[in-house]
Amino acid sequence: MPTTPALPGLTVVTHPLVQHKIALLRDQATPKKVFKELVDEIAMLMAYEATQDLALEACEVVTPLETTTGRRVAGKKLTLVPILRAGLGMVDGILRLVPSARVGHVGLYRDHDTLEPVDYYFKIPADGAERDFFVLDPMLATGGSAASAVASLKRAGAARIRFLCLVAAPEGVRRLQAAHPDVPIFAAALDRELNEHGYILPGLGDAGDRLFGTK
């Protein structure tokens, strides 16, 4: 998983299956059902990569033949925090990989005139300081919503936060890094730029609309 020298806090997941599925996801001819399945699958593959450095602790395991020592994830379990609404599309895939993870929610929308995030909902487990959080949003465009969501988590006591997206724009990565340099960013693709409306180019369109069949 290479990091980008100009954006050292960003890790691009270059696994062939991830890259294959991202190409399908970009295609405007991909129907809603398949688009949703692809988001789900890519999120699970990315979470496998993003959890490589979780701390482990020894545990005793009784097999059918003898007692042995195994290893399990140490401390509290993961908490997934999708940014509503498009982030919901990434939750189920990661839950299949880590079914014991809890799920919080951050409600944000982007004002189409100012391109700035507007808060409307926030709910996470109470013991945030003891948990690892994965903030989920398919698109890291301007970075405003991502930075706002991470700030809300920090105010609630969260200390260990990672941000997972499918497609990122350099502008969004820089803004999130500037606001929260301690938060690692994982993406399946780093795209070229934003257009004048704040959409990622080449991108994949509006992820929420394509997931839920809205305009």
Side-chain angles (χ1 to χ4, degrees):
M1 293 190 303
T3 56
T4 305
L7 301 167
L10 170 69
T11 298
V12 178
V13 180
T14 57
H15 191 286
L17 289 177
V18 171
Q19 295 305 307
H20 172 79
K21 292 175 186 295
I22 279 289
L24 296 173
L25 200 68
R26 292 189 192 275
D27 192 337
Q28 65 177 354
T30 298
K32 181 175 77 70
K33 178 180 182 295
V34 177
F35 188 92
K36 186 175 178 10
E37 292 168 351
L38 288 166
V39 170
D40 182 278
E41 292 164 1
I42 296 167
M44 180 172 64
L45 291 168
M46 289 185 64
Y48 179 82
E49 299 284 3
T51 53
Q52 284 193 78
D53 62 349
L54 289 180
L56 294 172
E57 62 184 7
C59 63
E60 185 178 275
V61 180
V62 180
T63 80
L65 300 176
E66 64 180 33
T67 299
T68 188
T69 299
R71 294 194 297 170
R72 63 186 178 192
V73 174
K76 291 287 187 179
K77 295 180 174 63
L78 293 176
T79 299
L80 311 180
V81 183
I83 297 178
L84 303 177
R85 62 186 168 136
L88 291 171
M90 301 174 67
V91 171
D92 286 346
I94 302 176
L95 282 177
R96 281 202 302 279
L97 188 69
V98 193
S100 59
R102 294 191 182 183
V103 181
H105 296 88
V106 175
L108 295 167
Y109 66 88
R110 187 170 61 166
D111 185 285
H112 287 291
D113 295 325
T114 66
L115 301 183
E116 292 300 313
V118 178
D119 280 307
Y120 66 90
Y121 187 77
F122 181 82
K123 183 73 172 179
I124 64 167
D127 53 349
E130 301 175 36
R131 293 185 167 274
D132 287 277
F133 288 89
F134 281 14
V135 179
L136 311 176
D137 197 347
M139 314 296 286
L140 179 55
T142 66
S145 294
S148 179
V150 170
S152 295
L153 283 172
K154 287 182 174 180
R155 285 194 296 271
R160 297 185 302 277
I161 304 169
R162 305 173 197 210
F163 186 87
L164 274 65
C165 63
L166 305 186
V167 178
E171 297 93 331
V173 174
R174 292 190 188 99
R175 181 169 179 178
L176 181 54
Q177 287 179 332
H180 305 287
D182 58 317
V183 175
I185 304 168
F186 293 84
L190 176 63
D191 279 12
R192 187 177 72 249
E193 62 185 354
L194 298 177
N195 67 12
E196 65 274 17
H197 302 294
Y199 283 93
I200 300 173
L201 298 176
L204 46 80
D206 187 299
D209 285 345
R210 295 191 69 184
L211 275 166
F212 300 110
T214 54
K215 291 293 185 182

